Amino acid sequence: MPKLYPGTYHLTAATPLPPLRVWWPKPLRCRFRPFHALAAALLASAVLGSGALANPPAASRCDFNNDGFDDLAVGSPGESVGSAKAAGSVNVIYGTAVGLNSTGNQLWHENIMGVLGIAESGDRFGASLACADFNLDGIDDLAIGAPGEDVGNAVDAGAVHVLLGSRTGLTASGNQLWHQDSLSLAGTAESGDQFGAALAAGDFDDDVAYDLAIGAPGENIDSGGPRDGGEVTVLYGGGSSGLRAERSQVWNQDSASVRDEANGDDLFGAALAAGDFDHDGFDDLAIGVPGEDLAQPAGESASDGGAVNVLNGSSAGLAASRDQFLSQDALAGAHEDGDHFGFSLASGDFNNDDFDDLAVGVPGEDVGQNASAGAVNVVYGSAILLTSAGNQIWDQDIAFVAGVSESADAFGASVATGDFNGDGFDDLAVGVPGEDDAGILDTGAVNVLFGSAARLIGGGSKIFSQNTASIEGVAEPGEAFGSSLAVGRFDSGNRADLAIGVPGESVGATSSAGAVNVLYGSASGPSGTKDQIWHQDSPGVAGVAEAYDRLGDQPPTSFGIYRIPYANGTKMRVSRDHYSHTPDFNELDLVGTAGAGAGGYVIVAAAAGTIMAIEDSNAEPTSSNNYVWIAHGNGEWTKYTHFKTGTVTALGRTVGQLVFAGTTLGIQGDVGQANGSHLHFEVAVPDDPATALDSGGYVRGASFVPLICDIPGNVFYGGVTYTAGNC
């Protein structure tokens, strides 16, 4: 059965020693910064060093052939492998003295000779990436998340592949495949766990070998416990074989001494970042919990306000002895519904004090009257780990920050760090995939803030898009430039370079094939002077650009393609998109604005399938939803919620009935748990179709951002009005 991965998004980058990255036995302290992913999942490149004057950059990261130049891995979780849709793949492009070059580039997926596993629909191989030297041979290896992998009968349990580096680059020789049913590994593979949705590498026990943290945000905690509470597994490195199951750890919010408690839809482990926040020689681990509900003064809670747990490194590995729980309760900003604090994470030393700092993406943050404009909180390291002292919040309305906050910009959907101008202070790159530029909707942008002895500063900040002079490509609607980010030193320069995912990029006439822009570092920061654009139709690059590959993607998108679920000619506005929807992100709220029929706005099936559930007997006012679930041949189900009472059954719709794209289902209404007449629309893959729904009509499984035909970039963004029609 096909599957998708839930929310996690990643990219990866490396710097002096860390996360997705690296190299030789570690002489220096490191820091990592993954992105999400990417699908997250976009690029994994080595991050470049945060170098600071006192902590100079180490050699390189993500150097898979040990030639001294960082290499770039880019996930295409939507790639079809043969007939297996969204099986996923990873392109690897190697660095040289003059930058990334197609010579010797590679394409990896589960049907490549020697790679463990078999490519299947919905595996999402490449949804997350991390690199480091796990086997102590001095050459970086690549960990690849496949959060949609089925393990036995457990649908979407998830898995992680590890390819080892060599003098000639990545090789299948000695590759590893990890899942929660691997021999001696702590945990149990269960449907919907999404093991591998996020990855981060670090040396948590300071034994020179790099270790791997693996997020499973869909993990249910205990039998019958919180749905999608989330969990993180840690594998420790060492020895010629690389990662080992011995000493593996499993962490969640019900683990002893971990602050807070596991609740449904917390998504603990949806984002990860490692860094030495207290400068004690042991890497620590920051864990995003973007679905965390936070208490409000009135006794209510901010749904999906979001939080971050921090585990401390020690000689015995990660520990909760000094666990920290971060939220906007104690930091700049105020937690609100749908902020999703912890959606993305990256570490770096922005003030060169030898303590790593943490950037936390808050893409659902409202800025003034602009819903989901987005923000980034920055928390600084100290002898007591991260401290609220001197913390900062950044958005596009902060003085000197380039750009202007607008609704649905999603500033902070991705973050990455590196010393782009070579002054010894790490800088911060922030993805703004919903940015409008010169009237081009959701073309996307990236802001860069620079480090200094006084912490991050707005002065001199930069903003980039495909409208920026010298940057390859043409800004077009829905490209979502900045959905994912990665950092590395891809040439012989001594500054960090920035790779930017553009998953909505059309390659020729091929819609949403996806691409990556690479900006090289300079004395003034990232520059378009040597800018490159890479995709699967670039000369010499392995693979073929195909529709909906979404190379460089970050949000977890469907692999089915759906029409707008309103009658033809209806104009509808996206009131909440996948960054801002509450209580769960990756779902959509849509509102008809023009073209209603005599009875109201007509809701139609988004694709052919079989009706699996109907509830339309609840009358207004009520807190119970009216809904329809439809199962499709690709294994995905679509949900349509908030029908006017009785309008579905009045049309003769019944469970088990076959419908087609455009078949009328009912009338948009104001019934259920959200106020106002609208349509809630989502795509999900149930853990078990036989018991797919709970008593409230919610699917037991993971939700994904719907890909919609015939709109720019094929993904909805908040505040935009679209016109429904046949695909």
Side-chain angles (χ1 to χ4, degrees), residues 3-359:
K3 45 251 156 90
L4 307 186
Y5 67 87
T8 217
Y9 352 56
H10 267 75
L11 270 196
T12 358
T15 140
L17 247 111
L20 324 184
R21 350 11 173 127
V22 281
W23 22 17
W24 347 347
K26 101 189 204 221
L28 295 180
R29 217 54 249 110
C30 75
R31 31 204 76 130
F32 326 46
R33 22 229 115 193
F35 318 136
H36 285 262
L38 279 245
L42 168 66
L43 323 159
S45 103
V47 186
L48 176 90
S50 67
L53 303 175
N55 217 7
S60 73
R61 315 216 29 203
C62 284
D63 185 358
F64 303 127
N65 56 2
N66 198 30
D67 64 355
F69 307 109
D70 283 345
D71 310 312
L72 179 65
V74 185
S76 294
E79 175 93 17
S80 294
V81 177
S83 61
K85 296 181 179 179
S89 69
V90 174
N91 282 88
V92 179
I93 304 171
Y94 286 85
T96 72
V98 295
L100 294 170
N101 189 293
S102 63
T103 301
N105 78 94
Q106 298 171 306
L107 177 67
W108 294 97
H109 51 71
E110 286 184 300
N111 281 1
I112 294 291
M113 177 108 28
V115 173
L116 298 173
I118 298 172
E120 300 165 309
S121 291
D123 281 348
R124 295 288 175 172
F125 180 94
S128 60
L129 301 167
C131 69
D133 182 6
F134 300 120
N135 63 350
L136 288 176
D137 66 353
I139 305 175
D140 287 341
D141 313 309
L142 179 65
I144 302 170
E149 182 83 25
D150 293 347
V151 178
N153 294 322
V155 177
D156 297 344
V160 173
H161 293 259
V162 179
L163 302 177
L164 300 179
S166 75
R167 296 290 179 181
T168 58
L170 290 173
T171 173
S173 177
N175 76 98
Q176 297 177 309
L177 175 61
W178 295 96
H179 51 71
Q180 288 178 308
D181 281 354
S182 295
L183 185 65
S184 300
L185 189 64
T188 301
E190 300 163 315
S191 291
D193 283 349
Q194 305 291 323
F195 180 87
L199 300 172
D203 187 358
F204 304 122
D205 55 2
D206 195 28
D207 66 351
V208 181
Y210 275 84
D211 314 312
L212 182 67
I214 303 169
E219 179 81 25
N220 296 339
I221 307 304
D222 300 326
S223 178
R227 178 179 67 91
D228 297 341
E231 192 167 80
V232 172
T233 297
V234 181
L235 298 176
Y236 286 85
S240 59
S241 60
L243 296 170
R244 301 169 296 172
E246 299 94 310
R247 297 177 57 217
S248 68
Q249 298 173 304
V250 170
W251 295 96
N252 58 55
Q253 286 187 321
D254 281 353
S255 298
S257 300
V258 172
R259 296 184 59 187
D260 204 63
E261 62 182 23
N263 294 296
D265 299 315
D266 277 351
L267 301 177
F268 179 93
L272 301 169
D276 187 0
F277 303 124
D278 56 0
H279 191 55
D280 65 352
F282 303 101
D283 285 335
D284 312 306
L285 181 66
I287 301 170
V289 197
E292 181 80 31
D293 296 343
L294 299 167
Q296 297 281 59
E300 299 180 355
S301 64
S303 181
D304 290 350
V308 173
N309 281 89
V310 182
L311 303 177
N312 57 284
S314 75
S315 59
L318 285 174
S321 56
R322 294 187 291 139
D323 172 59
Q324 295 182 304
F325 182 82
L326 307 176
S327 73
Q328 288 185 325
D329 271 345
L331 303 175
H335 65 252
E336 301 160 316
D337 283 357
D339 277 353
H340 300 307
F341 177 96
F343 185 91
S344 61
L345 300 170
S347 70
D349 188 359
F350 303 123
N351 56 355
N352 188 27
D353 64 355
D354 289 339
F355 297 98
D356 282 343
D357 313 312
L358 183 68

Side-chain angles (χ1 to χ4, degrees), residues 308-519:
V308 173
N309 281 89
V310 182
L311 303 177
N312 57 284
S314 75
S315 59
L318 285 174
S321 56
R322 294 187 291 139
D323 172 59
Q324 295 182 304
F325 182 82
L326 307 176
S327 73
Q328 288 185 325
D329 271 345
L331 303 175
H335 65 252
E336 301 160 316
D337 283 357
D339 277 353
H340 300 307
F341 177 96
F343 185 91
S344 61
L345 300 170
S347 70
D349 188 359
F350 303 123
N351 56 355
N352 188 27
D353 64 355
D354 289 339
F355 297 98
D356 282 343
D357 313 312
L358 183 68
V360 182
V362 197
E365 179 86 13
D366 296 345
V367 179
Q369 300 301 308
N370 297 306
S372 298
V376 174
N377 282 89
V378 179
V379 192
Y380 287 83
S382 74
I384 57 170
L385 290 176
L386 296 168
T387 174
S388 61
N391 79 93
Q392 300 171 303
I393 190 167
W394 295 95
D395 59 54
Q396 288 184 321
D397 280 358
I398 298 290
F400 304 112
V401 175
V404 177
S405 291
E406 300 164 314
S407 290
D409 277 351
F411 180 96
S414 59
V415 286
T417 67
D419 185 2
F420 302 120
N421 58 4
D423 65 354
F425 301 96
D426 278 346
D427 311 311
L428 176 65
V430 181
V432 198
E435 179 84 12
D436 299 341
D437 188 1
I440 304 170
L441 297 178
D442 305 322
T443 188
V446 172
N447 281 86
V448 177
L449 304 172
F450 292 97
S452 75
R455 303 169 297 153
L456 285 173
I457 56 175
S461 74
K462 293 190 169 187
I463 190 168
F464 300 94
S465 74
Q466 286 190 333
N467 265 347
T468 303
S470 301
I471 290 186
E472 297 287 334
V474 176
E476 297 169 314
E479 287 184 330
F481 180 95
S483 284
S484 55
L485 301 170
V487 180
R489 282 185 181 164
F490 305 125
D491 61 9
S492 60
N494 61 356
R495 302 180 178 96
D497 310 314
L498 179 64
I500 301 169
V502 197
E505 178 87 17
S506 294
V507 177
T510 305
S511 178
S512 290
V516 176
N517 280 90
V518 179
L519 308 182

